Amino acid sequence: MRLILPIGAMYWDTYIYFDAAQRIYNGQIPNTDFLTPVGPLDYYLFALGLKFFPNAQPLLLAQWVILLVAAPLMAAIIDDVARKERRIAFALLIPFLIFAICPANVQTFHSYPGLDGFGIYNRHATLLLYVLVSALMFVKDGRRLAILCGLTMLALFLIKVTGFLAGGLIGLLALLSGRISWRSVVLAGAIFLAALICLEFNGHMITAYIDEIALLIRMNEQALLPRFLTVLSTDLDIIMASGILVLALAWMGREKLLAGFSASAGIASTLLDSNFVWLAVALVAGIFFETQNTGSQDFTFLWPILLAIFIQSAHEPVSRRIAIVVLIGFVAIPYTTKIAHKTLRAVAVSPTYVAAPVTDMKTLGQVSTRWDIMERSLLMEKHYLEHGDTYSDLSSQGQLPSWQLYSELDYQMYWIISADEAVKAIRQFEATNGIHLATLMNLDFANPFPWLLDRDATRHIQIGADPYRTVPPLDDATRQSIAETDAVLVPHCPLTTGRRALRRIYADALKDRQEVKLNDCWDLLLRPGVLPSSS
């Protein structure tokens, strides 16, 4: 089935997966041969999924490949829980399926319907945190719990390290509260370390990944505090409701806690294993995790804890139980309805949308948008050409053509249309000059061109090239790799701050190249000797 979905804000994040998959097919190793914004697992899963489903809609494939890891783990949890109480098993399974299936974030960056092609690995991490919390809350078998925790933490580490750290905080609480034993922790740790040691033999991938994490921390250390404030403001409804529920549960359970302390039952059994402490710690872990995310299914992994609170509330007086249920609703309903509503809204309007008018973008062209947005997208290239000086002036002053350019649906659609023209132009240029450009690089955020044209990509550079957050200064390995690259694409419709910054970062490695006009909006920087006339 050729599925076409409404394009969403910052949809070009999806193209990063094709860049990574093509590199993997060509023998490159994530973190060793190219820099990535997150861990390697997502890219290997996507490359595998693309082999089995080459005609899949890109966003759906990127979203659903995580089920190769998460579904077996969740199935083991559901099997264990269902033996005791099938209703609880269904209460864990149904939200898991909603969050796994829906390619949408909690936050909204555009008012018109569209599916979120960004923050995909963040959604994957929150889904794995959901699996981890479900296991810790409801699986009692020590060995099974240890294996589940070990494998889930391994997947979190290999997808996004901040998700791993958030899971580690929750796991520490599980250990201190007695929900998981030291023996189980040792078994889980052994599984985790054994897997990492095996992966290290794949071109030192793990040490390279750790080095890259340290590099990204150094590049972004000053942005941490503002991001805390961003999370607190954007998720205020969920955070405030969770905080009130924590305080309410602590107040309602104060007598039981005091009785436990007086009976010398110990902190682990009286305080740390209380549901309000679990909710508080998970909330803190979620806030920390979301500081490093632009888009995510924020705090969805709180549900297993909320479910445990609901089950335990059956022993409370009716008035208290009603209060608990209402507060649970205030926490769980916002993120669930936002995710489901965005997905259903996009599906509902998609039959009325216009498909991308492209022919050489393979499956990347399986997107659509409103007819009026499409009309604007088709006009933008001529506009950028006629007013190029205006956008050059804006970018020289650190300004984009509009305040939220990358969130605008017309720009995302225009980018695909422009890239389609670039692919056609490259093929025509090669045919005219009798050459074959074996390696391609793009001075822009996304570079799907090696996959679109079945070529190799420049090694030792960042995929998802954000010059302000992820692209490090030029080093010798990168300089040498760029020097060996046949052609570097230079887009300039419009000249943005990001495109300008990338050319500045790589300027030293781009010296002595022959610049040729590919079409009105794309140039090529050719390696000396590529064109017969320059040899």
Side-chain angles (χ1 to χ4, degrees):
M1 294 177 62
R2 180 176 168 81
L3 297 175
I4 298 176
L5 297 180
I7 199 167
M10 292 175 275
Y11 187 88
W12 61 355
D13 271 33
T14 310
Y15 312 151
I16 297 173
Y17 285 85
F18 290 89
D19 188 1
Q22 181 68 11
R23 291 169 179 272
I24 290 170
Y25 296 154
N26 288 333
Q28 295 191 36
I29 301 172
N31 307 111
T32 297
D33 294 318
F34 61 96
L35 281 67
T36 65
V38 289
L41 179 58
D42 251 14
Y43 304 121
Y44 277 112
L45 291 175
F46 184 83
L48 178 63
L50 193 58
K51 282 291 187 183
F52 282 102
F53 303 101
N55 298 315
Q57 207 287 331
L59 175 54
L60 294 183
L61 182 63
Q63 173 76 19
W64 293 347
V65 290
I66 190 59
L67 289 170
L68 291 170
V69 173
L73 296 172
M74 196 66 196
I77 296 170
I78 296 299
D79 175 67
D80 185 82
V81 175
R83 294 175 187 175
K84 306 158 193 171
E85 180 57 71
R86 292 177 64 86
R87 290 178 298 178
I88 298 176
F90 273 108
L92 290 172
L93 176 62
I94 293 172
F96 172 83
L97 292 176
I98 292 173
F99 304 142
I101 291 171
C102 293
N105 300 319
V106 169
Q107 302 303 323
T108 299
F109 284 84
H110 200 282
S111 58
Y112 284 148
L115 292 173
D116 295 327
F118 68 100
I120 300 169
Y121 38 76
N122 298 330
R123 298 199 290 262
H124 289 174
T126 55
L127 192 69
L128 288 170
L129 286 171
Y130 184 101
V131 172
L132 178 67
V133 175
S134 297
L136 291 172
M137 296 304 297
F138 293 101
V139 175
K140 306 302 179 185
D141 184 291
R143 181 175 297 178
R144 175 178 292 213
L145 180 59
I147 294 172
L148 286 169
C149 289
L151 293 175
T152 305
M153 290 296 287
L154 175 65
L156 279 167
F157 179 77
L158 294 175
I159 286 179
K160 192 164 188 183
V161 71
T162 49
F164 169 77
L165 294 175
L169 179 60
I170 298 170
L172 178 62
L173 175 62
L175 176 63
L176 296 177
S177 66
R179 283 189 184 251
I180 188 169
S181 66
W182 274 105
R183 180 179 296 179
S184 296
V185 170
V186 170
L187 177 57
I191 294 170
F192 179 83
L193 291 175
L196 292 188
I197 291 171
C198 293
L199 291 172
E200 177 66 9
F201 288 107
N202 184 30
H204 303 289
M205 183 173 70
I206 300 303
T207 51
Y209 178 36
I210 294 172
D211 290 341
E212 190 172 337
I213 291 169
L215 173 64
L216 291 174
I217 290 174
R218 290 195 299 270
M219 292 178 63
N220 294 277
E221 58 185 355
Q222 294 182 349
L224 188 58
L225 180 58
R227 286 183 168 269
F228 269 108
L229 298 176
T230 300
V231 173
L232 292 174
S233 62
T234 55
D235 290 309
L236 184 61
D237 51 351
I238 300 171
I239 294 172
M240 181 177 292
S242 300
I244 294 173
L245 180 56
V246 168
L247 295 175
L249 291 172
W251 177 257
M252 292 176 187
R254 66 190 185 284
E255 295 178 359
K256 186 183 295 184
L257 289 173
L258 291 173
F261 279 120
S262 62
S264 300
I267 294 178
S269 60
T270 58
L271 179 61
L272 295 181
D273 200 32
S274 301
N275 283 333
F276 79 88
V277 174
W278 273 87
L279 181 59
V281 171
L283 182 64
V284 171
I287 292 172
F288 165 75
F289 177 64
E290 293 302 329
T291 61
Q292 301 304 306
N293 300 336
T294 301
S296 174
Q297 292 182 341
D298 315 21
F299 301 100
T300 50
F301 61 89
L302 296 180
W303 172 247
I305 300 174
L306 297 174
L307 178 60
I309 292 170
F310 173 76
I311 294 169
Q312 193 175 69
S313 70
H315 305 293
E316 298 288 346
V318 175
S319 59
R320 288 187 175 184
R321 190 176 191 191
I322 291 174
I324 290 172
V325 170
V326 169
L327 288 171
I328 289 174
F330 274 113
V331 177
I333 290 175
Y335 60 67
T336 306
T337 54
K338 288 174 185 177
I339 292 167
H341 174 249
K342 287 175 70 174
T343 304
L344 293 174
R345 186 184 179 207
V347 171
V349 302
S350 61
T352 67
Y353 275 20
V354 181
V358 296
T359 57
D360 289 50
M361 292 298 285
K362 296 184 178 178
T363 58
L364 295 190
Q366 293 176 213
V367 289
S368 62
T369 192
R370 286 167 51 109
W371 68 268
D372 50 350
I373 294 177
M374 181 65 75
E375 189 176 70
R376 177 180 169 85
S377 301
L378 294 170
L379 290 173
M380 290 313 293
E381 180 164 308
K382 181 181 178 182
H383 172 78
Y384 288 139
L385 284 171
E386 293 178 349
H387 303 280
D389 291 342
T390 299
Y391 297 110
S392 178
D393 179 63
L394 278 172
S395 63
S396 69
Q397 299 182 61
Q399 297 296 321
L400 290 171
S402 63
W403 181 247
Q404 287 190 310
L405 178 70
Y406 306 134
S407 297
E408 294 175 0
L409 305 187
D410 61 300
Y411 182 79
Q412 292 299 319
M413 182 58 72
Y414 162 73
W415 199 95
I416 290 181
I417 296 170
S418 180
D420 181 63
E421 292 300 320
V423 171
K424 291 183 176 72
I426 290 171
R427 289 192 170 123
Q428 181 62 45
F429 179 80
E430 289 178 324
T432 301
N433 293 279
I435 62 173
H436 177 78
L437 303 174
T439 51
L440 296 172
M441 177 180 168
N442 184 26
L443 294 179
D444 205 356
F445 177 75
N447 182 26
F449 296 103
W451 180 73
L452 293 169
L453 291 160
D454 195 20
R455 310 296 166 86
D456 205 352
T458 305
R459 295 176 181 243
H460 305 299
I461 63 172
Q462 175 77 45
I463 63 170
D466 182 343
Y468 307 105
R469 293 186 60 201
T470 63
V471 179
L474 192 65
D475 59 19
D476 291 339
T478 306
R479 184 181 291 103
Q480 179 63 30
S481 182
I482 294 176
E484 296 170 355
T485 299
D486 284 348
V488 178
L489 286 99
V490 184
H492 50 81
C493 289
L495 181 58
T496 62
T497 53
R499 290 168 172 176
R500 185 186 286 271
L502 286 172
R503 186 151 189 178
R504 183 174 61 251
I505 291 171
Y506 295 125
D508 190 53
L510 297 173
K511 292 178 179 178
D512 303 322
R513 283 185 169 261
Q514 181 179 0
E515 185 165 356
V516 298
K517 181 179 180 180
L518 191 59
N519 64 20
D520 288 338
C521 285
W522 294 81
D523 293 337
L524 280 180
L525 300 178
L526 297 176
R527 178 176 54 80
V530 167
L531 282 178
S533 59
S534 63
S535 59

PDB file of all heavy atoms in Angstrom, residues 117-131:
ATOM      1  N   GLY A 117       7.053  14.543  12.099  1.00  0.00           N
ATOM      2  CA  GLY A 117       8.203  13.793  11.620  1.00  0.00           C
ATOM      3  C   GLY A 117       9.473  14.093  12.380  1.00  0.00           C
ATOM      4  O   GLY A 117      10.558  13.715  11.950  1.00  0.00           O
ATOM      5  N   PHE A 118       9.360  14.747  13.527  1.00  0.00           N
ATOM      6  CA  PHE A 118      10.533  15.058  14.354  1.00  0.00           C
ATOM      7  C   PHE A 118      10.311  14.503  15.762  1.00  0.00           C
ATOM      8  O   PHE A 118       9.190  14.164  16.145  1.00  0.00           O
ATOM      9  CB  PHE A 118      10.769  16.567  14.409  1.00  0.00           C
ATOM     10  CG  PHE A 118       9.703  17.327  15.163  1.00  0.00           C
ATOM     11  CD1 PHE A 118       9.909  17.734  16.474  1.00  0.00           C
ATOM     12  CD2 PHE A 118       8.485  17.610  14.583  1.00  0.00           C
ATOM     13  CE1 PHE A 118       8.929  18.427  17.168  1.00  0.00           C
ATOM     14  CE2 PHE A 118       7.493  18.302  15.271  1.00  0.00           C
ATOM     15  CZ  PHE A 118       7.715  18.708  16.562  1.00  0.00           C
ATOM     16  N   GLY A 119      11.406  14.386  16.511  1.00  0.00           N
ATOM     17  CA  GLY A 119      11.309  13.846  17.869  1.00  0.00           C
ATOM     18  C   GLY A 119      11.005  12.366  17.897  1.00  0.00           C
ATOM     19  O   GLY A 119      10.537  11.845  18.910  1.00  0.00           O
ATOM     20  N   ILE A 120      11.287  11.660  16.806  1.00  0.00           N
ATOM     21  CA  ILE A 120      10.918  10.243  16.715  1.00  0.00           C
ATOM     22  C   ILE A 120      11.691   9.419  17.737  1.00  0.00           C
ATOM     23  O   ILE A 120      11.125   8.580  18.442  1.00  0.00           O
ATOM     24  CB  ILE A 120      11.167   9.717  15.289  1.00  0.00           C
ATOM     25  CG1 ILE A 120      10.319  10.513  14.285  1.00  0.00           C
ATOM     26  CG2 ILE A 120      10.842   8.235  15.186  1.00  0.00           C
ATOM     27  CD1 ILE A 120      10.677  10.251  12.837  1.00  0.00           C
ATOM     28  N   TYR A 121      13.001   9.654  17.845  1.00  0.00           N
ATOM     29  CA  TYR A 121      13.784   8.878  18.809  1.00  0.00           C
ATOM     30  C   TYR A 121      13.403   9.250  20.241  1.00  0.00           C
ATOM     31  O   TYR A 121      13.561   8.446  21.158  1.00  0.00           O
ATOM     32  CB  TYR A 121      15.288   9.048  18.575  1.00  0.00           C
ATOM     33  CG  TYR A 121      15.738  10.424  18.175  1.00  0.00           C
ATOM     34  CD1 TYR A 121      15.823  11.451  19.091  1.00  0.00           C
ATOM     35  CD2 TYR A 121      16.088  10.692  16.857  1.00  0.00           C
ATOM     36  CE1 TYR A 121      16.235  12.707  18.729  1.00  0.00           C
ATOM     37  CE2 TYR A 121      16.509  11.958  16.476  1.00  0.00           C
ATOM     38  CZ  TYR A 121      16.577  12.958  17.415  1.00  0.00           C
ATOM     39  OH  TYR A 121      16.988  14.220  17.057  1.00  0.00           O
ATOM     40  N   ASN A 122      12.899  10.471  20.462  1.00  0.00           N
ATOM     41  CA  ASN A 122      12.395  10.816  21.795  1.00  0.00           C
ATOM     42  C   ASN A 122      11.139  10.011  22.127  1.00  0.00           C
ATOM     43  O   ASN A 122      10.965   9.553  23.257  1.00  0.00           O
ATOM     44  CB  ASN A 122      12.082  12.310  21.863  1.00  0.00           C
ATOM     45  CG  ASN A 122      13.311  13.170  21.641  1.00  0.00           C
ATOM     46  OD1 ASN A 122      14.427  12.780  21.967  1.00  0.00           O
ATOM     47  ND2 ASN A 122      13.115  14.338  21.063  1.00  0.00           N
ATOM     48  N   ARG A 123      10.256   9.859  21.131  1.00  0.00           N
ATOM     49  CA  ARG A 123       9.069   9.024  21.342  1.00  0.00           C
ATOM     50  C   ARG A 123       9.464   7.582  21.613  1.00  0.00           C
ATOM     51  O   ARG A 123       8.843   6.900  22.438  1.00  0.00           O
ATOM     52  CB  ARG A 123       8.148   9.119  20.115  1.00  0.00           C
ATOM     53  CG  ARG A 123       7.620  10.516  19.841  1.00  0.00           C
ATOM     54  CD  ARG A 123       6.405  10.509  18.955  1.00  0.00           C
ATOM     55  NE  ARG A 123       6.651  10.136  17.591  1.00  0.00           N
ATOM     56  CZ  ARG A 123       6.821  10.985  16.583  1.00  0.00           C
ATOM     57  NH1 ARG A 123       6.833  12.299  16.814  1.00  0.00           N
ATOM     58  NH2 ARG A 123       6.994  10.559  15.337  1.00  0.00           N
ATOM     59  N   HIS A 124      10.483   7.101  20.922  1.00  0.00           N
ATOM     60  CA  HIS A 124      10.954   5.742  21.156  1.00  0.00           C
ATOM     61  C   HIS A 124      11.468   5.579  22.584  1.00  0.00           C
ATOM     62  O   HIS A 124      11.211   4.563  23.241  1.00  0.00           O
ATOM     63  CB  HIS A 124      12.066   5.405  20.166  1.00  0.00           C
ATOM     64  CG  HIS A 124      11.584   5.239  18.756  1.00  0.00           C
ATOM     65  ND1 HIS A 124      12.431   5.056  17.690  1.00  0.00           N
ATOM     66  CD2 HIS A 124      10.328   5.235  18.227  1.00  0.00           C
ATOM     67  CE1 HIS A 124      11.726   4.947  16.578  1.00  0.00           C
ATOM     68  NE2 HIS A 124      10.449   5.055  16.880  1.00  0.00           N
ATOM     69  N   ALA A 125      12.192   6.576  23.064  1.00  0.00           N
ATOM     70  CA  ALA A 125      12.729   6.506  24.422  1.00  0.00           C
ATOM     71  C   ALA A 125      11.608   6.513  25.463  1.00  0.00           C
ATOM     72  O   ALA A 125      11.659   5.759  26.448  1.00  0.00           O
ATOM     73  CB  ALA A 125      13.698   7.652  24.671  1.00  0.00           C
ATOM     74  N   THR A 126      10.592   7.353  25.266  1.00  0.00           N
ATOM     75  CA  THR A 126       9.487   7.385  26.231  1.00  0.00           C
ATOM     76  C   THR A 126       8.722   6.068  26.217  1.00  0.00           C
ATOM     77  O   THR A 126       8.236   5.613  27.253  1.00  0.00           O
ATOM     78  CB  THR A 126       8.521   8.550  25.943  1.00  0.00           C
ATOM     79  OG1 THR A 126       8.058   8.471  24.597  1.00  0.00           O
ATOM     80  CG2 THR A 126       9.190   9.884  26.156  1.00  0.00           C
ATOM     81  N   LEU A 127       8.616   5.434  25.044  1.00  0.00           N
ATOM     82  CA  LEU A 127       7.936   4.134  24.977  1.00  0.00           C
ATOM     83  C   LEU A 127       8.714   3.077  25.750  1.00  0.00           C
ATOM     84  O   LEU A 127       8.131   2.240  26.454  1.00  0.00           O
ATOM     85  CB  LEU A 127       7.769   3.712  23.516  1.00  0.00           C
ATOM     86  CG  LEU A 127       6.832   2.527  23.269  1.00  0.00           C
ATOM     87  CD1 LEU A 127       5.386   2.919  23.563  1.00  0.00           C
ATOM     88  CD2 LEU A 127       6.954   2.005  21.842  1.00  0.00           C
ATOM     89  N   LEU A 128      10.038   3.127  25.644  1.00  0.00           N
ATOM     90  CA  LEU A 128      10.856   2.174  26.402  1.00  0.00           C
ATOM     91  C   LEU A 128      10.808   2.474  27.895  1.00  0.00           C
ATOM     92  O   LEU A 128      10.849   1.547  28.729  1.00  0.00           O
ATOM     93  CB  LEU A 128      12.294   2.206  25.888  1.00  0.00           C
ATOM     94  CG  LEU A 128      12.499   1.580  24.502  1.00  0.00           C
ATOM     95  CD1 LEU A 128      13.897   1.887  23.975  1.00  0.00           C
ATOM     96  CD2 LEU A 128      12.270   0.067  24.557  1.00  0.00           C
ATOM     97  N   LEU A 129      10.722   3.748  28.265  1.00  0.00           N
ATOM     98  CA  LEU A 129      10.531   4.086  29.684  1.00  0.00           C
ATOM     99  C   LEU A 129       9.192   3.561  30.181  1.00  0.00           C
ATOM    100  O   LEU A 129       9.081   3.114  31.339  1.00  0.00           O
ATOM    101  CB  LEU A 129      10.622   5.603  29.870  1.00  0.00           C
ATOM    102  CG  LEU A 129      12.026   6.212  29.783  1.00  0.00           C
ATOM    103  CD1 LEU A 129      11.952   7.733  29.766  1.00  0.00           C
ATOM    104  CD2 LEU A 129      12.895   5.737  30.952  1.00  0.00           C
ATOM    105  N   TYR A 130       8.180   3.581  29.318  1.00  0.00           N
ATOM    106  CA  TYR A 130       6.875   2.994  29.666  1.00  0.00           C
ATOM    107  C   TYR A 130       7.038   1.501  29.953  1.00  0.00           C
ATOM    108  O   TYR A 130       6.472   0.977  30.931  1.00  0.00           O
ATOM    109  CB  TYR A 130       5.903   3.210  28.500  1.00  0.00           C
ATOM    110  CG  TYR A 130       4.487   2.751  28.743  1.00  0.00           C
ATOM    111  CD1 TYR A 130       3.492   3.665  29.067  1.00  0.00           C
ATOM    112  CD2 TYR A 130       4.130   1.411  28.638  1.00  0.00           C
ATOM    113  CE1 TYR A 130       2.185   3.254  29.279  1.00  0.00           C
ATOM    114  CE2 TYR A 130       2.840   0.983  28.848  1.00  0.00           C
ATOM    115  CZ  TYR A 130       1.865   1.908  29.170  1.00  0.00           C
ATOM    116  OH  TYR A 130       0.579   1.481  29.389  1.00  0.00           O
ATOM    117  N   VAL A 131       7.807   0.807  29.123  1.00  0.00           N
ATOM    118  CA  VAL A 131       8.064  -0.619  29.335  1.00  0.00           C
ATOM    119  C   VAL A 131       8.787  -0.837  30.660  1.00  0.00           C
ATOM    120  O   VAL A 131       8.425  -1.726  31.445  1.00  0.00           O
ATOM    121  CB  VAL A 131       8.898  -1.187  28.164  1.00  0.00           C
ATOM    122  CG1 VAL A 131       9.347  -2.622  28.459  1.00  0.00           C
ATOM    123  CG2 VAL A 131       8.094  -1.142  26.868  1.00  0.00           C
TER     124      VAL A 131
END
